[in-house]
Amino acid sequence: MKQLKVDAIKNGTVIDHIPGGKGVQVMKILNGCRQDPVSMGMNLPSSKFGKKDILKIENHELNPEDVNRIAIIAPTATITIIREFEVQEKWVVRIPMELKNIVHCPNPNCITNKEELPTKFDIEGSPANGSGEFMCHYCEKIYNSEELKIKAG
């Protein structure tokens, strides 16, 4: 069996179990780490998910807003914080029950697209398995995660 070798990182963040093909989307929303070295594996075999992507970001730890953005795209992702080559923290992302100013409302008639108001979405359904939907607090329209445009961090 062929093995791919990706070097360990001394300090930083590993985002694993990203659904296959979604790693580029995750990278795009992480503006804060543009200067840091990043390793990405795409469409890697996963016994649990079939295919997965993985990101290793050196010298960067995610803030809670970044984690919330990732959870919308990749509700199965795990975040691991590495310090001095040791795992310090590890958890599965969770979509918060309320998204505040994280996504744009796709409804062009929504007041958040006409005035400078922070967006606010409530979660409907079960976001943990990717079947959740998001309802805009202002226009009350419901969207799935594929319809939402995530604001960059």
Side-chain angles (χ1 to χ4, degrees):
M1 176 168 79
K2 253 186 178 179
Q3 286 264 323
L4 299 174
K5 183 176 180 334
V6 178
D7 291 334
I9 59 176
K10 181 177 180 181
N11 296 298
T13 303
V14 177
I15 308 167
D16 198 0
H17 302 106
I18 302 167
K22 300 263 184 171
V24 172
Q25 278 183 275
V26 171
M27 196 59 229
K28 281 182 182 178
I29 63 171
L30 296 176
N31 280 346
C33 62
R34 289 189 181 216
Q35 304 301 318
D36 301 308
V38 176
S39 300
M40 181 185 296
M42 295 186 67
N43 294 313
L44 303 172
S46 167
S47 59
K48 197 171 184 180
F49 300 107
K51 290 187 177 188
K52 69 174 184 174
D53 292 354
I54 185 172
L55 290 172
K56 289 186 174 188
I57 308 165
E58 293 183 48
N59 306 315
H60 184 83
E61 291 187 17
L62 300 177
N63 62 46
E65 291 81 22
D66 288 336
V67 174
N68 289 343
R69 286 179 182 88
I70 292 167
I72 296 166
I73 296 171
T76 57
T78 58
I79 308 290
T80 305
I81 303 298
I82 309 290
R83 295 184 194 117
E84 297 298 323
F85 295 106
E86 298 288 330
V87 172
Q88 297 298 309
E89 300 175 49
K90 184 172 184 171
W91 70 92
V92 177
V93 298
R94 300 268 185 258
I95 297 176
M97 293 310 292
E98 187 177 81
L99 303 176
K100 290 184 178 179
N101 216 24
I102 293 176
V103 296
H104 297 281
C105 183
N107 178 4
N109 295 320
C110 182
I111 193 165
T112 61
N113 291 316
K114 297 178 185 286
E115 296 181 21
E116 294 220 11
L117 288 172
T119 60
K120 182 176 164 187
F121 283 78
D122 299 311
I123 306 303
E124 306 283 319
S126 176
N129 63 16
S131 66
E133 295 180 310
F134 306 86
M135 184 177 75
C136 177
H137 177 77
Y138 297 100
C139 69
E140 298 183 338
K141 296 212 182 276
I142 296 175
Y143 302 95
N144 66 41
S145 62
E146 298 295 320
E147 296 173 293
L148 297 176
K149 182 180 177 195
I150 299 170
K151 296 179 180 184

